[in-house]
């Protein structure tokens, strides 16, 4: 009576007790009863009553239902006519007790299980013959490689089919066991046939497969050297081939030489450094130069740090060959590149070659001038890095390499 409803309704709505709630609430158990009031909207002359309906009680269609956050009860807003009909024709049904709920749940579970047993067929086990008929057999890597090699060796396979086979093989031979299986299954001979093919696409893909199989796999490295593939790779580099073929051949050659002193000694005896130096000079774009210098750096650094293989590496006269073949003059040319990565790899190689090439470094005015100009350039870059909060950034590392080389040259 005059009390505002608050944020529930607009200010024109007032609370009103019309006595209808009492009759309605008598239908509910005592625990569900709590004080209720009606409110009256003067502007539209419509009486509404806010009542609580038991959880087991249905409500008229179109009713406004809300959840009272203070009491946790669900409430429905009914009009006067709806209330009269509701109180005369509806009563709250029987209360649901924990025991009745458990009994109902058990009965429902039994019925559901019976339906499942009737409608869902029993699971049957399948043997290999059944799986083969359903095309569900899963091939092992060995079986896949055997099938691929048969396709590669088939005279009826087109070049496109062989290229597709080589692509799948390249993916498989990254696994050490698969690469070794490739050799035992006679796949290495087929790969070498691809290297000797007249189709440059087959040469490129075959070299890619060979390099992937050789990576970090000593067993395959030995097999490849014994097969005479080293001479084939050097021949491909020495002859006129497309750039993409030579890139893959260099990848295979680097994988063969890495951590394998015997192969390194073989490449020296077969004139490999001479082939690489001619390739370095002919590569005007610089794409192959970086790969060659990186490969030489890896070979030299292995010899310095792999103390457990001192005897094997002692037989590899790599540094003397580098001096004889003119690499002390060739590697500094890579500093003229505009790529920071190329310069970094050239500096690393120049530092490990310094014990042999130091005198030629001092006589190389182009090298000394490049070091001075590069030092000025990278000093500015290092200052920019420091402004950005990078005290030991990438350009700072390159500057340290330049300083270390200048110290040795002086």
């Amino acid at each position: 009576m005059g009390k505002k409803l608050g944020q529930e309704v607009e200010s024109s709505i007032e609370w009103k007790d019309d006595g209808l709630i009492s009759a309605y609430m008598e239908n509910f158990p005592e625990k569900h009863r709590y004080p209720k009031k009606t409110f009256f909207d003067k502007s539209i002359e419509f009486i509404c009553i806010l009542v609580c309906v038991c959880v087991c009680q249905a409500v008229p269609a179109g009713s406004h239902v809300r959840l009272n956050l203070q009491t946790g009860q669900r409430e429905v807003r009914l009009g006067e006519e709806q209330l009269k009909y509701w109180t005369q024709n509806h009563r709250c049904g029987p209360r649901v007790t924990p025991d009745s709920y458990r009994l109902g749940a058990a009965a429902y579970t039994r019925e559901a299980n019976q339906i499942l047993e009737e409608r869902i067929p029993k699971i049957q086990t399948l043997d290999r013959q059944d799986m083969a008929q359903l095309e569900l057999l899963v091939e092992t890597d060995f079986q896949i490689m055997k099938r691929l090699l048969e396709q590669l060796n088939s005279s009826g396979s087109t070049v496109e089919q062989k290229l597709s086979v080589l692509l799948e093989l390249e993916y498989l031979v990254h696994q050490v066991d698969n690469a070794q299986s490739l050799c035992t299954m006679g796949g290495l001979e087929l790969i070498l046939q691809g290297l000797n093919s007249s189709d440059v696409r087959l040469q490129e893909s075959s070299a890619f497969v060979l390099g992937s199989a050789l990576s970090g796999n000593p067993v395959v490295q030995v097999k490849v050297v014994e097969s005479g593939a080293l001479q084939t790779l050097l021949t491909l580099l020495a002859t006129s081939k497309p750039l993409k073929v030579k890139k893959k051949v260099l990848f295979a050659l680097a994988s063969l030489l890495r951590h394998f002193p015997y192969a390194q000694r073989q490449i020296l005896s077969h004139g490999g450094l001479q082939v690489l130096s001619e390739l370095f000079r002919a590569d005007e774009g610089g794409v192959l130069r970086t790969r060659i210098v990186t490969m030489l750096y890896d070979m030299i650094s292995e010899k310095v740090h792999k103390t457990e293989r001192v005897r094997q590496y002692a037989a590899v006269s790599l540094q003397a060959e580098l001096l004889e073949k003119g690499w002390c003059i060739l590697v500094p040319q890579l500093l003229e590149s505009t790529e920071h990565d190329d310069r970094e790899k050239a500096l690393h190689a120049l530092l490990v070659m310094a014990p042999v090439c130091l005198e030629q470094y001092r006589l190389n005015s182009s090298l000394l001038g490049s070091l001075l100009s590069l030092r000025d350039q990278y000093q500015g870059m290092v200052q920019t890095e420091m402004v950005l909060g990078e005290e030991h950034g990438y350009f700072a590392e390159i500057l340290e390499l330049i300083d270390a080389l200048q110290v040795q040259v002086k």
Side-chain angles (χ1 to χ4, degrees):
M1 312 229 254
K3 182 178 179 182
K4 298 293 183 179
L5 183 61
Q7 298 180 354
E8 293 284 332
V9 293
E10 297 180 359
S11 59
S12 61
I13 299 178
E14 298 181 356
W15 289 101
K16 181 181 178 181
D17 187 1
D18 56 4
L20 296 177
I21 291 295
S22 302
Y24 180 72
M25 293 303 295
E26 290 177 358
N27 297 312
F28 292 89
E30 183 67 28
K31 63 183 295 184
H32 294 297
R33 299 181 188 177
Y34 55 91
K36 298 289 185 238
K37 295 194 176 186
T38 64
F39 54 88
F40 174 63
D41 190 341
K42 296 178 180 179
S43 62
I44 58 175
E45 298 183 357
F46 178 77
I47 298 177
C48 292
I49 302 174
L50 193 64
V51 297
C52 175
V53 178
C54 180
V55 294
C56 61
Q57 181 66 58
V59 298
S63 301
H64 297 279
V65 181
R66 74 173 185 181
L67 175 65
N68 193 320
L69 298 179
Q70 294 181 349
T71 62
Q73 301 290 335
R74 295 181 182 274
E75 300 173 349
V76 61
R77 182 173 296 169
L78 301 176
E80 184 177 9
E81 296 299 326
Q82 292 174 307
L83 178 62
K84 291 180 181 180
Y85 168 80
W86 210 247
T87 55
Q88 292 173 3
N89 298 284
H90 293 75
R91 296 291 185 272
C92 186
R95 295 179 59 188
V96 179
T97 62
D99 293 335
S100 62
Y101 175 79
R102 284 194 293 269
L103 291 175
Y108 175 78
T109 302
R110 287 194 299 271
E111 183 179 357
N113 291 336
Q114 184 178 0
I115 294 174
L116 290 175
E117 291 178 358
E118 294 176 353
R119 297 185 179 181
I120 300 179
K122 294 183 179 180
I123 299 176
Q124 299 179 354
T125 57
L126 299 176
D127 55 19
R128 292 186 61 86
Q129 184 177 1
D130 296 331
M131 294 179 68
Q133 293 177 355
L134 297 174
E135 298 182 355
L136 295 178
L137 282 178
V138 179
E139 287 184 303
T140 63
D141 287 352
F142 186 87
Q143 293 171 332
I144 295 174
M145 292 177 60
K146 183 178 180 181
R147 173 172 53 81
L148 292 175
L149 291 176
E150 289 176 354
Q151 296 178 14
L152 187 62
N153 194 32
S154 174
S155 59
S157 298
T158 63
V159 175
E160 285 71 19
Q161 291 174 337
K162 291 183 178 181
L163 291 175
S164 178
V165 168
L166 290 171
L167 181 62
E168 294 189 48
L169 284 175
E170 193 278 329
Y171 172 79
L172 291 170
V173 296
H174 282 281
Q175 295 288 339
V176 173
D177 294 338
N178 290 341
Q180 296 176 5
S181 299
L182 179 72
C183 298
T184 59
M185 296 166 64
L188 182 59
E189 289 75 11
L190 298 178
I191 299 300
L192 294 181
Q193 291 178 14
L195 290 176
N196 293 318
S197 172
S198 58
D199 193 307
V200 293
R201 295 177 298 172
L202 289 176
Q203 291 178 345
E204 177 188 5
S205 298
S206 299
F208 195 23
V209 175
L210 184 61
S212 299
L214 286 165
S215 298
N217 202 325
V219 174
V220 179
Q221 286 178 318
V222 173
K223 294 287 186 181
V224 170
V225 170
E226 291 176 348
S227 67
L230 179 60
Q231 186 63 46
T232 303
L233 295 175
L234 292 176
T235 301
L236 289 172
L237 292 176
T239 55
S240 178
K241 298 293 180 182
L243 178 63
K244 57 183 181 180
V245 174
K246 292 190 176 183
K247 286 169 62 176
K248 291 298 189 290
V249 172
L250 273 177
F251 166 62
L253 183 62
S255 300
L256 175 61
L257 299 178
R258 188 170 293 117
H259 304 298
F260 194 14
Y262 179 76
Q264 295 177 14
R265 189 165 72 248
Q266 290 294 314
I267 193 175
L268 295 179
S269 62
H270 285 77
L273 283 183
Q274 180 65 33
V275 173
L276 292 176
S277 64
E278 293 176 357
L279 183 62
F280 188 95
R281 292 186 177 93
D283 182 36
E284 298 179 356
V287 178
L288 301 179
R289 289 186 175 189
T290 306
R291 288 172 168 80
I292 295 172
V293 171
T294 303
M295 182 172 60
L296 294 177
Y297 167 75
D298 291 339
M299 292 169 62
I300 298 172
S301 59
E302 288 171 16
K303 188 173 182 179
V304 173
H305 296 100
K306 296 291 182 179
T307 55
E308 70 277 7
R309 296 184 180 178
V310 172
R311 183 185 60 81
Q312 298 180 26
Y313 280 106
V316 183
S317 57
L318 175 61
Q319 293 177 327
E321 289 285 338
L322 291 173
L323 178 62
E324 181 181 347
K325 303 302 181 184
W327 284 100
C328 298
I329 300 175
L330 292 176
V331 176
Q333 296 178 13
L334 192 58
L335 293 176
E336 300 173 2
S337 173
T338 58
E339 297 293 332
H340 300 296
D341 183 62
D342 295 348
R343 294 171 179 176
E344 179 192 7
K345 290 175 179 177
L347 289 168
H348 277 296
L350 290 170
L351 283 171
V352 296
M353 292 166 57
V356 178
C357 302
L358 191 57
E359 292 299 325
Q360 295 201 27
Y361 289 171
R362 292 170 178 170
L363 299 175
N364 191 339
S365 58
S366 177
L367 171 61
L368 299 178
S370 297
L371 292 177
L372 291 175
S373 62
L374 289 175
R375 190 176 191 281
D376 294 338
Q377 178 182 351
Y378 283 103
Q379 276 183 335
M381 295 180 177
V382 169
Q383 292 177 359
T384 304
E385 283 184 332
M386 296 180 66
V387 171
L388 297 176
E390 299 181 14
E391 296 183 1
H392 301 286
Y394 176 65
F395 296 132
E397 295 179 1
I398 295 180
L399 184 60
E400 291 177 359
L401 294 174
I402 296 174
D403 291 337
L405 186 57
Q406 283 184 325
V407 169
Q408 296 196 32
V409 171
K410 291 182 179 179

